[in-house]
Amino acid sequence: MDVLSDAIAAMRTGRPHSGRRDKFAPWGMRIEDSEGAGFHVVLRGSAWLLPSAGEAVALAPGDVVFLAHGRGYALTSGPGVEPEVVRFQPDGSPPEPPSPARDSVPDTVLLCGAYWLDRSRAHPLLSELPEVVHLPAKLGAHQSLRAAVELLGTELEEPQPGSDTIVASLLDTLLLYILRAWWQGEARAEGHPTGWAAALADPAVTAALQAIHAAPDHPWTVEELGAHGGLSRAAFARRFTALVGRPPLAYLTWWRMTTAGRLLREADLPLRHVAQRTGYTSEFAFAKAFKREYGVAPGQYRRKAS
């Protein structure tokens, strides 16, 4: 997998949820703090996004917003509307909205969704995102994202056999398109890229990151990683540390432990196999490193996660 896909897979827990919402003015809904990341697409009409910090954002048809950090926010038909708190169901899915007893066309149609994340291992790529990622509708911009939105909207409006699986796959696709659009476009448009926006734009650093993510079990050296990007050991170490925020081998260790946590949560593998897949020659050495990183033994972490 590539770095962006890996960053999402490392944090994702459970199944994402989505739904189409018909709104009749005046309307307002408040999403409280959670472990999730939410997105909204305005299919028709308009809306106002009121983040927990910062200015209100006016949303027009075709606009996409993504809120990655789980902080509360509100969506309303206007700045002065008092929003109603949305209470999520025990499985994390949003409540089913009551069917409007009206024959009129809704003022606003929204496509809403949520992804549940393990914030204890938040990848710095996502941590650097702003409070609100706003992707305004622009002619010819983000065509793949628009196509995914259209397909998802169609499946939610007219469910067919197989829609459950299709919707789950489209939600994963949509999230990746949102993040790609931001990292490849909006973040760089603000000026010279910094942090992970710059790291993903740097061929040498990207080559090393892809090597680490493709084979976390390999006994990488700084020289080897630098060679992937065509740089000397010293030049590569300086550039990697400046852009990624930690030295190459420190990031390697962090990614190994992040991968180990995901394997313990999602796969019923013996600990020795988890150790081997993350570059440790013995189960004892792996358990010691894991406990140093997570504060609990691997077996206890697995039991708690299950």
Side-chain angles (χ1 to χ4, degrees):
M1 296 175 72
D2 61 87
V3 177
L4 181 57
S5 300
D6 269 352
I8 300 301
M11 295 182 64
R12 279 281 308 278
T13 61
R15 288 174 60 88
H17 298 282
S18 66
R20 179 187 168 105
R21 301 289 184 258
D22 294 344
K23 296 295 183 180
F24 296 86
W27 61 268
M29 56 182 183
R30 178 174 298 282
I31 310 298
E32 297 184 319
D33 291 358
S34 73
E35 291 299 307
F39 76 87
H40 302 277
V41 184
V42 181
L43 299 180
R44 180 192 303 158
S46 62
W48 283 84
L49 174 69
L50 310 175
S52 59
E55 298 181 354
V57 180
L59 304 178
D63 283 12
V64 178
V65 290
F66 179 64
L67 301 104
H69 302 301
R71 302 186 186 103
Y73 61 92
L75 277 171
T76 69
S77 56
V81 177
E82 184 65 27
E84 181 180 352
V85 175
V86 174
R87 306 288 183 186
F88 285 86
Q89 298 180 35
D91 67 349
S93 60
E96 287 297 323
S99 300
R102 313 186 191 191
D103 296 327
S104 58
V105 175
D107 299 288
T108 302
V109 178
L110 299 171
L111 192 60
C112 306
Y115 305 90
W116 302 107
L117 307 176
D118 176 9
R119 298 194 180 279
S120 67
R121 301 298 296 181
H123 195 284
L125 189 153
L126 293 182
S127 299
E128 285 187 3
L129 289 173
E131 180 81 6
V132 177
V133 171
H134 179 203
L135 301 173
K138 297 177 183 177
L139 185 62
H142 315 314
Q143 294 183 4
S144 297
L145 171 61
R146 305 298 165 190
V149 167
E150 184 175 351
L151 288 170
L152 182 58
T154 299
E155 288 295 329
L156 291 173
E157 184 177 17
E158 301 177 3
Q160 300 289 330
S163 284
D164 286 350
T165 299
I166 291 172
V167 166
S169 298
L170 285 173
L171 285 171
D172 288 339
T173 302
L174 181 64
L175 176 56
L176 289 169
Y177 278 141
I178 289 173
L179 294 175
R180 180 193 287 177
W182 173 256
W183 288 113
Q184 292 187 346
E186 302 299 323
R188 297 179 192 178
E190 295 179 358
H192 185 71
T194 59
W196 275 84
L200 294 178
D202 186 289
V205 173
T206 298
L209 287 169
Q210 288 175 341
I212 289 172
H213 282 241
D217 58 331
H218 183 77
W220 294 105
T221 65
V222 177
E223 289 86 352
E224 279 185 292
L225 292 171
H228 274 272
L231 294 177
S232 68
R233 180 187 185 282
F236 166 73
R238 285 194 300 270
R239 185 181 299 184
F240 189 100
T241 304
L243 297 182
V244 173
R246 65 183 79 193
L249 297 187
Y251 181 83
L252 171 62
T253 299
W254 182 86
W255 182 247
R256 283 173 168 174
M257 289 295 99
T258 300
T259 302
R262 186 173 78 225
L263 289 173
L264 289 170
R265 289 196 310 269
E266 300 176 0
D268 189 23
L269 294 172
L271 289 185
R272 68 178 183 279
H273 289 170
V274 177
Q276 292 168 358
R277 289 195 183 189
T278 51
Y280 290 87
T281 57
S282 75
E283 186 177 329
F284 174 79
F286 165 72
K288 184 177 180 180
F290 189 92
K291 187 171 184 178
R292 183 168 59 247
E293 185 78 11
Y294 284 85
V296 295
Q300 184 179 352
Y301 177 87
R302 170 176 275 169
R303 289 190 295 272
K304 183 178 179 182
S306 64

